[in-house]
Amino acid sequence: MRVSPTMRAEAGISTGSGKSVRRKTIPLFGAATIFGIIQVIKPARLTLRADGFELSQPPKGAKFTPWSHVETFYIFRLRGNKFVAYTYTSARPQGVISKVGRAMGAQATLPNLFSMKTEELAGLMESRRRQAVGTAPTGIAAQPQIVS
């Protein structure tokens, strides 16, 4: 099958100069570079407090979640990557996205950007949550469950 110049133009295929491809890739890589620089200058930060945890993730800003709004922390695997995931209690209002996420296995996740191992972070957060809501096991660290 022969491809005419008109078909190439409609498909966005360059006919030799590469301008069409450059017009699309330069802004994409430029934006990725800007976000990469922001992550280096001001990386994501997770702060564990007595009343909850705060995730600061530029350019979004900080988001605070009280321990009482979290049902449990666990390890969620997606395409070979591990994330700290958690489900909300009924105390927190749940929208459509939250309900869909829960049905898929992870209602909310933390970015995998921290130096602590995923299992250790999930265990620490589950232990802090249990202490805060008064269900801490005595002498045994909380072990997060793994969901694939």
Side-chain angles (χ1 to χ4, degrees):
M1 177 175 144
R2 256 184 94 195
V3 179
S4 71
T6 307
M7 290 173 70
R8 283 190 187 123
E10 288 174 359
I13 299 171
S14 175
T15 57
S17 67
K19 289 181 182 178
S20 178
V21 173
R22 275 183 270 173
R23 273 186 267 154
K24 294 175 184 172
T25 57
I26 290 174
L28 176 69
F29 286 106
T33 302
I34 291 169
F35 283 116
I37 291 170
I38 290 171
Q39 285 294 324
V40 169
I41 293 171
K42 194 170 181 179
R45 188 178 67 212
L46 179 67
T47 306
L48 305 181
R49 301 181 352 194
D51 56 344
F53 65 95
E54 184 176 72
L55 178 63
S56 176
Q57 197 175 6
K60 293 180 184 178
K63 177 188 171 194
F64 177 75
T65 304
W67 297 119
S68 60
H69 287 194
V70 178
E71 188 176 301
T72 187
F73 288 95
Y74 55 95
I75 306 298
F76 180 70
R77 292 180 193 242
L78 179 66
R79 297 183 182 153
N81 295 313
K82 293 187 284 186
F83 299 91
V84 174
Y86 53 98
T87 55
Y88 292 111
T89 61
S90 58
R92 183 183 183 274
Q94 296 181 14
V96 174
I97 293 175
S98 248
K99 291 177 183 177
V100 170
R102 187 175 199 137
M104 293 176 65
Q107 193 171 18
T109 60
L110 296 177
N112 196 5
L113 301 172
F114 306 109
S115 59
M116 185 180 262
K117 288 186 177 180
T118 307
E119 293 84 357
E120 293 172 4
L121 181 58
L124 175 64
M125 293 183 78
E126 180 64 15
S127 177
R128 291 274 184 101
R129 183 197 67 80
R130 288 182 180 187
Q131 287 174 356
V133 298
T135 59
T138 55
I140 300 171
Q143 294 297 316
Q145 65 182 9
I146 298 176
V147 177
S148 294

